[in-house]
Amino acid sequence: MEQRTRTRTGTAAAGTADRVRRGIRAGLAVGVAAVTLATVGGCAFGRPKIDVTPPSWATASPSASYDPYSPTPSYTPGYDSYSPSPTQETYDPDGRSDVRGSGCDFSASLRQFTYTVSITNPSTTSSYSYDMRIDWMKDRPADGSSYGQHQRSVVVAPGATETYTAKYTLNQSSWQAFWYTCQITRASKSKM
């Protein structure tokens, strides 16, 4: 039976060269693995972190703005908290714009004119006295004459409305048909 044996051929220098090559390959493999792990982990070749947190003076006001590339804050003043000083109410001694009339009527059985008057004080701070005059005027022909008049003074509190019925009774007991209108001819207003 014939035996075969394998013998190593070559010199010792050749064996050393093989070991060096294997070592280089192993070193390269370890290096590639390290670079791969570092890249996957996000550590290799990363950009340096820059802190862009604005300083406290830049965020103190909601209307301030901060740009990390231009650290000087731009500020626009806000006027939300500004309230103008209250203005004084204007006073007009003619209070006819504060007065409304309704229900201009004449009762033949009572021989009486009536007119409902409402006075509203627009002031929120002052009471006013209204010196009122109501006239029942001749209407056809409208010659400027009055059948009768009613005068009264009424005090109205701030923001309140006072309502009353003005009346005038004719002295005559009989008359012919006539036309009339109700007019608020005076509403002088004075502060109390």
Side-chain angles (χ1 to χ4, degrees), residues 96 104-106 113-115 133-150 168 170 177-186:
R96 283 182 289 181
C104 182
D105 197 16
F106 176 75
F113 289 104
T114 57
Y115 192 48
R133 177 174 164 171
I134 313 303
D135 277 274
W136 289 270
M137 305 295 291
K138 187 176 178 182
D139 190 34
R140 294 182 192 172
D143 60 4
S145 60
S146 173
Y147 289 115
Q149 63 178 319
H150 172 90
Y168 178 77
L170 289 174
F178 63 93
W179 286 264
Y180 63 96
T181 61
C182 298
Q183 291 183 8
I184 300 169
T185 53
R186 185 178 67 238

PDB file of all heavy atoms in Angstrom, residues 96 104-106 113-115 133-150 168 170 177-186:
ATOM      1  N   ARG A  96     -83.878 117.614  23.399  1.00  0.00           N
ATOM      2  CA  ARG A  96     -84.934 117.038  22.555  1.00  0.00           C
ATOM      3  C   ARG A  96     -84.521 115.735  21.884  1.00  0.00           C
ATOM      4  O   ARG A  96     -85.377 114.893  21.591  1.00  0.00           O
ATOM      5  CB  ARG A  96     -85.396 118.058  21.512  1.00  0.00           C
ATOM      6  CG  ARG A  96     -86.314 119.115  22.117  1.00  0.00           C
ATOM      7  CD  ARG A  96     -86.798 120.094  21.090  1.00  0.00           C
ATOM      8  NE  ARG A  96     -85.705 120.961  20.660  1.00  0.00           N
ATOM      9  CZ  ARG A  96     -85.841 121.942  19.779  1.00  0.00           C
ATOM     10  NH1 ARG A  96     -87.011 122.176  19.233  1.00  0.00           N
ATOM     11  NH2 ARG A  96     -84.809 122.685  19.456  1.00  0.00           N
ATOM     12  N   CYS A 104    -100.345 110.393  20.218  1.00  0.00           N
ATOM     13  CA  CYS A 104    -100.988 111.713  20.172  1.00  0.00           C
ATOM     14  C   CYS A 104    -102.494 111.500  19.980  1.00  0.00           C
ATOM     15  O   CYS A 104    -102.924 110.913  18.981  1.00  0.00           O
ATOM     16  CB  CYS A 104    -100.390 112.512  19.011  1.00  0.00           C
ATOM     17  SG  CYS A 104    -101.036 114.179  18.873  1.00  0.00           S
ATOM     18  N   ASP A 105    -103.300 111.965  20.978  1.00  0.00           N
ATOM     19  CA  ASP A 105    -104.725 111.619  20.949  1.00  0.00           C
ATOM     20  C   ASP A 105    -105.580 112.752  21.533  1.00  0.00           C
ATOM     21  O   ASP A 105    -105.104 113.595  22.286  1.00  0.00           O
ATOM     22  CB  ASP A 105    -104.940 110.342  21.764  1.00  0.00           C
ATOM     23  CG  ASP A 105    -106.266 109.671  21.461  1.00  0.00           C
ATOM     24  OD1 ASP A 105    -106.892 110.006  20.432  1.00  0.00           O
ATOM     25  OD2 ASP A 105    -106.672 108.814  22.263  1.00  0.00           O
ATOM     26  N   PHE A 106    -106.861 112.697  21.175  1.00  0.00           N
ATOM     27  CA  PHE A 106    -107.855 113.604  21.754  1.00  0.00           C
ATOM     28  C   PHE A 106    -109.101 112.787  22.097  1.00  0.00           C
ATOM     29  O   PHE A 106    -109.621 112.052  21.270  1.00  0.00           O
ATOM     30  CB  PHE A 106    -108.204 114.737  20.786  1.00  0.00           C
ATOM     31  CG  PHE A 106    -109.277 115.630  21.304  1.00  0.00           C
ATOM     32  CD1 PHE A 106    -109.018 116.562  22.303  1.00  0.00           C
ATOM     33  CD2 PHE A 106    -110.577 115.531  20.808  1.00  0.00           C
ATOM     34  CE1 PHE A 106    -110.022 117.391  22.789  1.00  0.00           C
ATOM     35  CE2 PHE A 106    -111.580 116.365  21.296  1.00  0.00           C
ATOM     36  CZ  PHE A 106    -111.294 117.295  22.294  1.00  0.00           C
ATOM     37  N   PHE A 113    -106.660 116.381  25.394  1.00  0.00           N
ATOM     38  CA  PHE A 113    -105.538 115.928  24.582  1.00  0.00           C
ATOM     39  C   PHE A 113    -104.604 115.096  25.466  1.00  0.00           C
ATOM     40  O   PHE A 113    -104.396 115.419  26.640  1.00  0.00           O
ATOM     41  CB  PHE A 113    -104.722 117.121  24.051  1.00  0.00           C
ATOM     42  CG  PHE A 113    -105.418 117.928  22.997  1.00  0.00           C
ATOM     43  CD1 PHE A 113    -105.968 119.169  23.309  1.00  0.00           C
ATOM     44  CD2 PHE A 113    -105.498 117.470  21.692  1.00  0.00           C
ATOM     45  CE1 PHE A 113    -106.586 119.932  22.338  1.00  0.00           C
ATOM     46  CE2 PHE A 113    -106.122 118.230  20.719  1.00  0.00           C
ATOM     47  CZ  PHE A 113    -106.673 119.468  21.033  1.00  0.00           C
ATOM     48  N   THR A 114    -103.990 114.072  24.882  1.00  0.00           N
ATOM     49  CA  THR A 114    -102.965 113.280  25.594  1.00  0.00           C
ATOM     50  C   THR A 114    -101.799 112.997  24.641  1.00  0.00           C
ATOM     51  O   THR A 114    -101.972 112.950  23.410  1.00  0.00           O
ATOM     52  CB  THR A 114    -103.527 111.933  26.120  1.00  0.00           C
ATOM     53  OG1 THR A 114    -104.070 111.192  25.032  1.00  0.00           O
ATOM     54  CG2 THR A 114    -104.570 112.155  27.204  1.00  0.00           C
ATOM     55  N   TYR A 115    -100.628 112.798  25.263  1.00  0.00           N
ATOM     56  CA  TYR A 115     -99.413 112.480  24.492  1.00  0.00           C
ATOM     57  C   TYR A 115     -98.440 111.803  25.445  1.00  0.00           C
ATOM     58  O   TYR A 115     -98.144 112.342  26.521  1.00  0.00           O
ATOM     59  CB  TYR A 115     -98.813 113.761  23.904  1.00  0.00           C
ATOM     60  CG  TYR A 115     -97.735 113.553  22.859  1.00  0.00           C
ATOM     61  CD1 TYR A 115     -97.918 112.657  21.808  1.00  0.00           C
ATOM     62  CD2 TYR A 115     -96.563 114.288  22.897  1.00  0.00           C
ATOM     63  CE1 TYR A 115     -96.949 112.493  20.831  1.00  0.00           C
ATOM     64  CE2 TYR A 115     -95.594 114.140  21.920  1.00  0.00           C
ATOM     65  CZ  TYR A 115     -95.788 113.239  20.893  1.00  0.00           C
ATOM     66  OH  TYR A 115     -94.838 113.088  19.933  1.00  0.00           O
ATOM     67  N   ARG A 133     -91.948 120.932  27.522  1.00  0.00           N
ATOM     68  CA  ARG A 133     -93.160 121.626  27.064  1.00  0.00           C
ATOM     69  C   ARG A 133     -93.707 120.863  25.867  1.00  0.00           C
ATOM     70  O   ARG A 133     -92.995 120.625  24.883  1.00  0.00           O
ATOM     71  CB  ARG A 133     -92.867 123.070  26.680  1.00  0.00           C
ATOM     72  CG  ARG A 133     -94.123 123.753  26.124  1.00  0.00           C
ATOM     73  CD  ARG A 133     -93.919 125.211  25.870  1.00  0.00           C
ATOM     74  NE  ARG A 133     -94.990 125.717  24.993  1.00  0.00           N
ATOM     75  CZ  ARG A 133     -95.180 126.989  24.735  1.00  0.00           C
ATOM     76  NH1 ARG A 133     -94.406 127.905  25.275  1.00  0.00           N
ATOM     77  NH2 ARG A 133     -96.144 127.356  23.922  1.00  0.00           N
ATOM     78  N   ILE A 134     -94.979 120.479  25.972  1.00  0.00           N
ATOM     79  CA  ILE A 134     -95.670 119.773  24.903  1.00  0.00           C
ATOM     80  C   ILE A 134     -96.788 120.680  24.404  1.00  0.00           C
ATOM     81  O   ILE A 134     -97.555 121.244  25.199  1.00  0.00           O
ATOM     82  CB  ILE A 134     -96.302 118.443  25.406  1.00  0.00           C
ATOM     83  CG1 ILE A 134     -95.302 117.634  26.245  1.00  0.00           C
ATOM     84  CG2 ILE A 134     -96.865 117.631  24.243  1.00  0.00           C
ATOM     85  CD1 ILE A 134     -94.012 117.295  25.590  1.00  0.00           C
ATOM     86  N   ASP A 135     -96.911 120.830  23.080  1.00  0.00           N
ATOM     87  CA  ASP A 135     -97.971 121.649  22.481  1.00  0.00           C
ATOM     88  C   ASP A 135     -98.817 120.797  21.548  1.00  0.00           C
ATOM     89  O   ASP A 135     -98.287 119.966  20.794  1.00  0.00           O
ATOM     90  CB  ASP A 135     -97.364 122.808  21.685  1.00  0.00           C
ATOM     91  CG  ASP A 135     -97.017 123.987  22.557  1.00  0.00           C
ATOM     92  OD1 ASP A 135     -97.905 124.822  22.794  1.00  0.00           O
ATOM     93  OD2 ASP A 135     -95.855 124.062  23.021  1.00  0.00           O
ATOM     94  N   TRP A 136    -100.133 121.012  21.613  1.00  0.00           N
ATOM     95  CA  TRP A 136    -101.066 120.435  20.637  1.00  0.00           C
ATOM     96  C   TRP A 136    -101.366 121.540  19.645  1.00  0.00           C
ATOM     97  O   TRP A 136    -102.073 122.516  19.968  1.00  0.00           O
ATOM     98  CB  TRP A 136    -102.324 119.934  21.344  1.00  0.00           C
ATOM     99  CG  TRP A 136    -102.039 118.697  22.154  1.00  0.00           C
ATOM    100  CD1 TRP A 136    -102.129 117.417  21.735  1.00  0.00           C
ATOM    101  CD2 TRP A 136    -101.601 118.648  23.502  1.00  0.00           C
ATOM    102  NE1 TRP A 136    -101.767 116.559  22.751  1.00  0.00           N
ATOM    103  CE2 TRP A 136    -101.431 117.292  23.852  1.00  0.00           C
ATOM    104  CE3 TRP A 136    -101.311 119.616  24.483  1.00  0.00           C
ATOM    105  CZ2 TRP A 136    -101.016 116.872  25.092  1.00  0.00           C
ATOM    106  CZ3 TRP A 136    -100.882 119.201  25.731  1.00  0.00           C
ATOM    107  CH2 TRP A 136    -100.730 117.832  26.026  1.00  0.00           C
ATOM    108  N   MET A 137    -100.790 121.414  18.474  1.00  0.00           N
ATOM    109  CA  MET A 137    -100.810 122.491  17.487  1.00  0.00           C
ATOM    110  C   MET A 137    -101.925 122.291  16.466  1.00  0.00           C
ATOM    111  O   MET A 137    -102.282 121.159  16.120  1.00  0.00           O
ATOM    112  CB  MET A 137     -99.467 122.544  16.736  1.00  0.00           C
ATOM    113  CG  MET A 137     -98.249 122.661  17.623  1.00  0.00           C
ATOM    114  SD  MET A 137     -98.190 124.201  18.534  1.00  0.00           S
ATOM    115  CE  MET A 137     -97.896 125.356  17.211  1.00  0.00           C
ATOM    116  N   LYS A 138    -102.445 123.436  15.983  1.00  0.00           N
ATOM    117  CA  LYS A 138    -103.415 123.415  14.891  1.00  0.00           C
ATOM    118  C   LYS A 138    -102.694 122.925  13.641  1.00  0.00           C
ATOM    119  O   LYS A 138    -101.601 123.392  13.317  1.00  0.00           O
ATOM    120  CB  LYS A 138    -103.976 124.828  14.698  1.00  0.00           C
ATOM    121  CG  LYS A 138    -105.106 124.910  13.708  1.00  0.00           C
ATOM    122  CD  LYS A 138    -105.652 126.328  13.676  1.00  0.00           C
ATOM    123  CE  LYS A 138    -106.761 126.431  12.652  1.00  0.00           C
ATOM    124  NZ  LYS A 138    -107.276 127.809  12.561  1.00  0.00           N
ATOM    125  N   ASP A 139    -103.320 121.969  12.953  1.00  0.00           N
ATOM    126  CA  ASP A 139    -102.636 121.345  11.812  1.00  0.00           C
ATOM    127  C   ASP A 139    -103.188 121.801  10.468  1.00  0.00           C
ATOM    128  O   ASP A 139    -102.431 121.992   9.532  1.00  0.00           O
ATOM    129  CB  ASP A 139    -102.741 119.825  11.932  1.00  0.00           C
ATOM    130  CG  ASP A 139    -101.856 119.107  10.925  1.00  0.00           C
ATOM    131  OD1 ASP A 139    -100.768 119.636  10.625  1.00  0.00           O
ATOM    132  OD2 ASP A 139    -102.240 118.033  10.451  1.00  0.00           O
ATOM    133  N   ARG A 140    -104.496 121.998  10.346  1.00  0.00           N
ATOM    134  CA  ARG A 140    -105.075 122.412   9.057  1.00  0.00           C
ATOM    135  C   ARG A 140    -106.031 123.577   9.288  1.00  0.00           C
ATOM    136  O   ARG A 140    -107.112 123.365   9.869  1.00  0.00           O
ATOM    137  CB  ARG A 140    -105.820 121.243   8.418  1.00  0.00           C
ATOM    138  CG  ARG A 140    -104.915 120.114   8.018  1.00  0.00           C
ATOM    139  CD  ARG A 140    -105.723 119.028   7.342  1.00  0.00           C
ATOM    140  NE  ARG A 140    -104.932 117.820   7.197  1.00  0.00           N
ATOM    141  CZ  ARG A 140    -105.439 116.676   6.787  1.00  0.00           C
ATOM    142  NH1 ARG A 140    -106.734 116.582   6.507  1.00  0.00           N
ATOM    143  NH2 ARG A 140    -104.684 115.620   6.656  1.00  0.00           N
ATOM    144  N   PRO A 141    -105.626 124.747   8.838  1.00  0.00           N
ATOM    145  CA  PRO A 141    -104.294 125.104   8.337  1.00  0.00           C
ATOM    146  C   PRO A 141    -103.292 125.223   9.480  1.00  0.00           C
ATOM    147  O   PRO A 141    -103.658 125.580  10.591  1.00  0.00           O
ATOM    148  CB  PRO A 141    -104.528 126.463   7.679  1.00  0.00           C
ATOM    149  CG  PRO A 141    -105.649 127.064   8.447  1.00  0.00           C
ATOM    150  CD  PRO A 141    -106.529 125.914   8.894  1.00  0.00           C
ATOM    151  N   ALA A 142    -102.069 124.885   9.173  1.00  0.00           N
ATOM    152  CA  ALA A 142    -101.001 124.963  10.185  1.00  0.00           C
ATOM    153  C   ALA A 142    -100.534 126.411  10.255  1.00  0.00           C
ATOM    154  O   ALA A 142     -99.667 126.844   9.509  1.00  0.00           O
ATOM    155  CB  ALA A 142     -99.856 124.028   9.816  1.00  0.00           C
ATOM    156  N   ASP A 143    -101.146 127.162  11.145  1.00  0.00           N
ATOM    157  CA  ASP A 143    -100.839 128.594  11.234  1.00  0.00           C
ATOM    158  C   ASP A 143     -99.961 128.935  12.431  1.00  0.00           C
ATOM    159  O   ASP A 143     -99.761 130.095  12.758  1.00  0.00           O
ATOM    160  CB  ASP A 143    -102.137 129.409  11.272  1.00  0.00           C
ATOM    161  CG  ASP A 143    -103.021 129.046  12.465  1.00  0.00           C
ATOM    162  OD1 ASP A 143    -102.589 128.213  13.302  1.00  0.00           O
ATOM    163  OD2 ASP A 143    -104.133 129.585  12.559  1.00  0.00           O
ATOM    164  N   GLY A 144     -99.451 127.918  13.126  1.00  0.00           N
ATOM    165  CA  GLY A 144     -98.555 128.173  14.253  1.00  0.00           C
ATOM    166  C   GLY A 144     -99.255 128.384  15.570  1.00  0.00           C
ATOM    167  O   GLY A 144     -98.604 128.654  16.581  1.00  0.00           O
ATOM    168  N   SER A 145    -100.587 128.267  15.569  1.00  0.00           N
ATOM    169  CA  SER A 145    -101.317 128.465  16.827  1.00  0.00           C
ATOM    170  C   SER A 145    -101.466 127.127  17.560  1.00  0.00           C
ATOM    171  O   SER A 145    -101.439 126.055  16.961  1.00  0.00           O
ATOM    172  CB  SER A 145    -102.686 129.095  16.562  1.00  0.00           C
ATOM    173  OG  SER A 145    -103.464 128.260  15.727  1.00  0.00           O
ATOM    174  N   SER A 146    -101.623 127.219  18.880  1.00  0.00           N
ATOM    175  CA  SER A 146    -101.692 126.042  19.728  1.00  0.00           C
ATOM    176  C   SER A 146    -103.065 125.933  20.373  1.00  0.00           C
ATOM    177  O   SER A 146    -103.622 126.932  20.837  1.00  0.00           O
ATOM    178  CB  SER A 146    -100.612 126.145  20.814  1.00  0.00           C
ATOM    179  OG  SER A 146    -100.745 125.104  21.750  1.00  0.00           O
ATOM    180  N   TYR A 147    -103.599 124.715  20.421  1.00  0.00           N
ATOM    181  CA  TYR A 147    -104.854 124.487  21.134  1.00  0.00           C
ATOM    182  C   TYR A 147    -104.604 124.465  22.641  1.00  0.00           C
ATOM    183  O   TYR A 147    -105.472 124.796  23.425  1.00  0.00           O
ATOM    184  CB  TYR A 147    -105.479 123.145  20.724  1.00  0.00           C
ATOM    185  CG  TYR A 147    -106.026 123.146  19.314  1.00  0.00           C
ATOM    186  CD1 TYR A 147    -105.460 122.334  18.344  1.00  0.00           C
ATOM    187  CD2 TYR A 147    -107.110 123.932  18.964  1.00  0.00           C
ATOM    188  CE1 TYR A 147    -105.958 122.302  17.055  1.00  0.00           C
ATOM    189  CE2 TYR A 147    -107.623 123.921  17.671  1.00  0.00           C
ATOM    190  CZ  TYR A 147    -107.031 123.099  16.725  1.00  0.00           C
ATOM    191  OH  TYR A 147    -107.547 123.100  15.455  1.00  0.00           O
ATOM    192  N   GLY A 148    -103.402 124.003  23.024  1.00  0.00           N
ATOM    193  CA  GLY A 148    -103.083 123.937  24.442  1.00  0.00           C
ATOM    194  C   GLY A 148    -101.670 123.415  24.631  1.00  0.00           C
ATOM    195  O   GLY A 148    -101.023 122.945  23.693  1.00  0.00           O
ATOM    196  N   GLN A 149    -101.201 123.540  25.845  1.00  0.00           N
ATOM    197  CA  GLN A 149     -99.830 123.108  26.130  1.00  0.00           C
ATOM    198  C   GLN A 149     -99.738 122.482  27.520  1.00  0.00           C
ATOM    199  O   GLN A 149    -100.584 122.705  28.380  1.00  0.00           O
ATOM    200  CB  GLN A 149     -98.855 124.263  26.002  1.00  0.00           C
ATOM    201  CG  GLN A 149     -99.103 125.369  27.002  1.00  0.00           C
ATOM    202  CD  GLN A 149     -98.077 126.474  26.868  1.00  0.00           C
ATOM    203  OE1 GLN A 149     -96.902 126.189  26.679  1.00  0.00           O
ATOM    204  NE2 GLN A 149     -98.526 127.720  26.980  1.00  0.00           N
ATOM    205  N   HIS A 150     -98.684 121.700  27.685  1.00  0.00           N
ATOM    206  CA  HIS A 150     -98.436 121.030  28.971  1.00  0.00           C
ATOM    207  C   HIS A 150     -96.963 121.246  29.307  1.00  0.00           C
ATOM    208  O   HIS A 150     -96.094 121.029  28.450  1.00  0.00           O
ATOM    209  CB  HIS A 150     -98.722 119.526  28.844  1.00  0.00           C
ATOM    210  CG  HIS A 150     -98.322 118.720  30.036  1.00  0.00           C
ATOM    211  ND1 HIS A 150     -99.191 118.488  31.087  1.00  0.00           N
ATOM    212  CD2 HIS A 150     -97.163 118.109  30.355  1.00  0.00           C
ATOM    213  CE1 HIS A 150     -98.564 117.750  31.984  1.00  0.00           C
ATOM    214  NE2 HIS A 150     -97.327 117.510  31.562  1.00  0.00           N
ATOM    215  N   TYR A 168    -103.859 117.838  28.322  1.00  0.00           N
ATOM    216  CA  TYR A 168    -104.405 119.204  28.293  1.00  0.00           C
ATOM    217  C   TYR A 168    -105.910 119.079  28.035  1.00  0.00           C
ATOM    218  O   TYR A 168    -106.344 118.417  27.094  1.00  0.00           O
ATOM    219  CB  TYR A 168    -103.745 120.058  27.213  1.00  0.00           C
ATOM    220  CG  TYR A 168    -104.330 121.434  27.151  1.00  0.00           C
ATOM    221  CD1 TYR A 168    -103.990 122.393  28.090  1.00  0.00           C
ATOM    222  CD2 TYR A 168    -105.267 121.766  26.166  1.00  0.00           C
ATOM    223  CE1 TYR A 168    -104.555 123.668  28.054  1.00  0.00           C
ATOM    224  CE2 TYR A 168    -105.823 123.029  26.117  1.00  0.00           C
ATOM    225  CZ  TYR A 168    -105.472 123.974  27.079  1.00  0.00           C
ATOM    226  OH  TYR A 168    -106.037 125.220  27.052  1.00  0.00           O
ATOM    227  N   LEU A 170    -109.523 120.905  27.156  1.00  0.00           N
ATOM    228  CA  LEU A 170    -110.126 122.084  26.530  1.00  0.00           C
ATOM    229  C   LEU A 170    -111.261 122.618  27.414  1.00  0.00           C
ATOM    230  O   LEU A 170    -111.994 121.846  28.039  1.00  0.00           O
ATOM    231  CB  LEU A 170    -110.691 121.730  25.151  1.00  0.00           C
ATOM    232  CG  LEU A 170    -109.676 121.436  24.046  1.00  0.00           C
ATOM    233  CD1 LEU A 170    -110.400 120.953  22.796  1.00  0.00           C
ATOM    234  CD2 LEU A 170    -108.864 122.686  23.718  1.00  0.00           C
ATOM    235  N   ALA A 177    -115.194 119.904  13.845  1.00  0.00           N
ATOM    236  CA  ALA A 177    -114.052 119.013  13.556  1.00  0.00           C
ATOM    237  C   ALA A 177    -112.790 119.853  13.372  1.00  0.00           C
ATOM    238  O   ALA A 177    -112.829 120.955  12.815  1.00  0.00           O
ATOM    239  CB  ALA A 177    -114.340 118.192  12.312  1.00  0.00           C
ATOM    240  N   PHE A 178    -111.695 119.325  13.844  1.00  0.00           N
ATOM    241  CA  PHE A 178    -110.414 120.047  13.707  1.00  0.00           C
ATOM    242  C   PHE A 178    -109.261 119.037  13.596  1.00  0.00           C
ATOM    243  O   PHE A 178    -109.401 117.869  13.927  1.00  0.00           O
ATOM    244  CB  PHE A 178    -110.193 120.997  14.895  1.00  0.00           C
ATOM    245  CG  PHE A 178    -110.080 120.294  16.236  1.00  0.00           C
ATOM    246  CD1 PHE A 178    -108.838 119.930  16.738  1.00  0.00           C
ATOM    247  CD2 PHE A 178    -111.225 120.000  16.983  1.00  0.00           C
ATOM    248  CE1 PHE A 178    -108.743 119.299  17.966  1.00  0.00           C
ATOM    249  CE2 PHE A 178    -111.120 119.371  18.202  1.00  0.00           C
ATOM    250  CZ  PHE A 178    -109.876 119.010  18.703  1.00  0.00           C
ATOM    251  N   TRP A 179    -108.131 119.546  13.105  1.00  0.00           N
ATOM    252  CA  TRP A 179    -106.924 118.726  12.942  1.00  0.00           C
ATOM    253  C   TRP A 179    -105.838 119.288  13.849  1.00  0.00           C
ATOM    254  O   TRP A 179    -105.713 120.511  13.988  1.00  0.00           O
ATOM    255  CB  TRP A 179    -106.454 118.753  11.487  1.00  0.00           C
ATOM    256  CG  TRP A 179    -107.342 117.936  10.588  1.00  0.00           C
ATOM    257  CD1 TRP A 179    -107.166 116.660  10.187  1.00  0.00           C
ATOM    258  CD2 TRP A 179    -108.541 118.387   9.971  1.00  0.00           C
ATOM    259  NE1 TRP A 179    -108.187 116.265   9.370  1.00  0.00           N
ATOM    260  CE2 TRP A 179    -109.059 117.312   9.218  1.00  0.00           C
ATOM    261  CE3 TRP A 179    -109.267 119.610   9.998  1.00  0.00           C
ATOM    262  CZ2 TRP A 179    -110.242 117.403   8.478  1.00  0.00           C
ATOM    263  CZ3 TRP A 179    -110.442 119.694   9.264  1.00  0.00           C
ATOM    264  CH2 TRP A 179    -110.914 118.590   8.519  1.00  0.00           C
ATOM    265  N   TYR A 180    -105.095 118.402  14.428  1.00  0.00           N
ATOM    266  CA  TYR A 180    -104.069 118.836  15.397  1.00  0.00           C
ATOM    267  C   TYR A 180    -102.860 117.895  15.312  1.00  0.00           C
ATOM    268  O   TYR A 180    -102.953 116.775  14.804  1.00  0.00           O
ATOM    269  CB  TYR A 180    -104.638 118.826  16.821  1.00  0.00           C
ATOM    270  CG  TYR A 180    -105.051 117.440  17.288  1.00  0.00           C
ATOM    271  CD1 TYR A 180    -104.196 116.645  18.049  1.00  0.00           C
ATOM    272  CD2 TYR A 180    -106.295 116.926  16.945  1.00  0.00           C
ATOM    273  CE1 TYR A 180    -104.578 115.383  18.454  1.00  0.00           C
ATOM    274  CE2 TYR A 180    -106.678 115.660  17.347  1.00  0.00           C
ATOM    275  CZ  TYR A 180    -105.826 114.888  18.093  1.00  0.00           C
ATOM    276  OH  TYR A 180    -106.200 113.629  18.486  1.00  0.00           O
ATOM    277  N   THR A 181    -101.757 118.377  15.810  1.00  0.00           N
ATOM    278  CA  THR A 181    -100.537 117.567  15.939  1.00  0.00           C
ATOM    279  C   THR A 181     -99.984 117.765  17.349  1.00  0.00           C
ATOM    280  O   THR A 181    -100.280 118.763  18.010  1.00  0.00           O
ATOM    281  CB  THR A 181     -99.441 117.971  14.927  1.00  0.00           C
ATOM    282  OG1 THR A 181     -99.072 119.319  15.157  1.00  0.00           O
ATOM    283  CG2 THR A 181     -99.900 117.768  13.501  1.00  0.00           C
ATOM    284  N   CYS A 182     -99.182 116.791  17.801  1.00  0.00           N
ATOM    285  CA  CYS A 182     -98.511 116.885  19.102  1.00  0.00           C
ATOM    286  C   CYS A 182     -97.038 117.196  18.849  1.00  0.00           C
ATOM    287  O   CYS A 182     -96.403 116.549  18.006  1.00  0.00           O
ATOM    288  CB  CYS A 182     -98.628 115.571  19.863  1.00  0.00           C
ATOM    289  SG  CYS A 182    -100.315 115.107  20.236  1.00  0.00           S
ATOM    290  N   GLN A 183     -96.513 118.176  19.556  1.00  0.00           N
ATOM    291  CA  GLN A 183     -95.119 118.563  19.361  1.00  0.00           C
ATOM    292  C   GLN A 183     -94.417 118.740  20.700  1.00  0.00           C
ATOM    293  O   GLN A 183     -94.984 119.309  21.635  1.00  0.00           O
ATOM    294  CB  GLN A 183     -95.026 119.888  18.586  1.00  0.00           C
ATOM    295  CG  GLN A 183     -95.467 119.790  17.147  1.00  0.00           C
ATOM    296  CD  GLN A 183     -95.279 121.120  16.421  1.00  0.00           C
ATOM    297  OE1 GLN A 183     -94.699 122.058  16.952  1.00  0.00           O
ATOM    298  NE2 GLN A 183     -95.786 121.185  15.203  1.00  0.00           N
ATOM    299  N   ILE A 184     -93.189 118.225  20.770  1.00  0.00           N
ATOM    300  CA  ILE A 184     -92.320 118.507  21.925  1.00  0.00           C
ATOM    301  C   ILE A 184     -91.575 119.782  21.561  1.00  0.00           C
ATOM    302  O   ILE A 184     -90.641 119.767  20.759  1.00  0.00           O
ATOM    303  CB  ILE A 184     -91.351 117.339  22.194  1.00  0.00           C
ATOM    304  CG1 ILE A 184     -92.145 116.065  22.492  1.00  0.00           C
ATOM    305  CG2 ILE A 184     -90.405 117.674  23.343  1.00  0.00           C
ATOM    306  CD1 ILE A 184     -91.316 114.799  22.519  1.00  0.00           C
ATOM    307  N   THR A 185     -92.020 120.885  22.082  1.00  0.00           N
ATOM    308  CA  THR A 185     -91.450 122.181  21.684  1.00  0.00           C
ATOM    309  C   THR A 185     -90.280 122.601  22.569  1.00  0.00           C
ATOM    310  O   THR A 185     -89.502 123.470  22.180  1.00  0.00           O
ATOM    311  CB  THR A 185     -92.532 123.272  21.704  1.00  0.00           C
ATOM    312  OG1 THR A 185     -93.185 123.265  22.970  1.00  0.00           O
ATOM    313  CG2 THR A 185     -93.544 123.037  20.607  1.00  0.00           C
ATOM    314  N   ARG A 186     -90.151 121.979  23.752  1.00  0.00           N
ATOM    315  CA  ARG A 186     -88.997 122.314  24.594  1.00  0.00           C
ATOM    316  C   ARG A 186     -88.637 121.096  25.445  1.00  0.00           C
ATOM    317  O   ARG A 186     -89.503 120.410  25.982  1.00  0.00           O
ATOM    318  CB  ARG A 186     -89.315 123.498  25.513  1.00  0.00           C
ATOM    319  CG  ARG A 186     -88.091 123.942  26.314  1.00  0.00           C
ATOM    320  CD  ARG A 186     -88.388 125.161  27.212  1.00  0.00           C
ATOM    321  NE  ARG A 186     -89.318 124.812  28.288  1.00  0.00           N
ATOM    322  CZ  ARG A 186     -90.484 125.417  28.480  1.00  0.00           C
ATOM    323  NH1 ARG A 186     -90.874 126.385  27.677  1.00  0.00           N
ATOM    324  NH2 ARG A 186     -91.267 125.070  29.493  1.00  0.00           N
TER     325      ARG A 186
END
